[in-house]
Amino acid sequence: MKNFLLTILAVGCAVVLFLGNMHWKEETAVSVEDVQSSSAGASAAGSGAPVEEDTDSTGDTEAILELAKNWPEEARSQLDESMAEGVPFKIAFVGSNALDSWAPLSKAAIEEAYGEDVVSVSLQGFDGTTADYTNENKAAELAALNADLVLLEPFTLADNGVIRIEDSLLHISNWMDTVQAEHPDTVFMLQPSQPIHQAGYYLTQLDALEQFANEREIVYVDHWTAWPGTQEDVLLGYLTDENLPNEEGARVWSEFVNGVFVGE
């Protein structure tokens, strides 16, 4: 009888120990799972936000680069680099006194589309010929703007009947050399001056300018395609008596430039 009671007691102790051990393991497992779950949650919370931000940042960059889809590829690549560095990409509009009519409109549209912290636009107008621009060392002032991209309207109308087109093109080439000596990565784009009614030799000059651009693989922004033809009387409604763009001419010119710089 005594042995039977001892056996029952031993079995009871074993059962209690077994059940206690099982309970301890369950509690430990729950604790570990809680810690792991908590750690995973903290890790997800810690890493989730940056991943989301990176995704948003990537999306913003892609959207901005899409706006610049009509830019020269070199300029577009530099824009991407500027955004990565957190510095504004600098554009300079350079041209005759006609610049005062259309360029402020384009400057406002471009900076609004991209944001001034992404793209900034400066204006450099000049009332004179290509020879005057050279003689007054305006190219050095242009270089001082530190522009990444220059849209140049090189005073071809002012040169008309005054400066040979061969000399005009030499001046333009020298200006680009001056700027790129300081900033080798500066990209140039060329555009004609405004059309005038019943133009003659002026058309020949502009043909030579476009050919120059093509030979140098410079993007030629031919806004003339948005104006009435030079032999059409309706063109007079786009110009002042001094052959400068009036409000309508400025609108046409700026909208064409906007289409190049802010791709739809």
Side-chain angles (χ1 to χ4, degrees), residues 214-229:
N214 292 336
E215 290 173 352
R216 298 287 186 106
E217 297 184 341
I218 299 169
V219 171
Y220 187 73
V221 181
D222 190 7
H223 60 88
W224 276 38
T225 59
W227 297 69

Side-chain angles (χ1 to χ4, degrees), residues 156-176:
T156 309
L157 184 54
D159 281 2
N160 187 30
V162 181
I163 308 292
R164 294 189 317 150
I165 186 58
E166 296 85 358
D167 294 331
S168 296
L169 298 177
L170 180 60
H171 286 303
I172 296 167
S173 182
N174 288 338
W175 304 339
M176 292 192 294

Side-chain angles (χ1 to χ4, degrees), residues 137 139-140 143 173-183:
N137 201 26
S173 182
N174 288 338
W175 304 339
M176 292 192 294
D177 289 343
T178 296
V179 171
Q180 290 175 336
E182 295 288 333
H183 310 286

Side-chain angles (χ1 to χ4, degrees), residues 9-38:
L9 181 61
V11 170
C13 289
V15 169
V16 170
L17 290 173
F18 175 79
L19 292 176
N21 184 54
M22 288 296 294
H23 179 70
W24 178 82
K25 286 183 178 180
E26 287 177 359
E27 288 296 318
T28 304
V30 170
S31 299
V32 170
E33 286 174 4
D34 288 343
V35 171
Q36 289 176 339
S37 174
S38 194

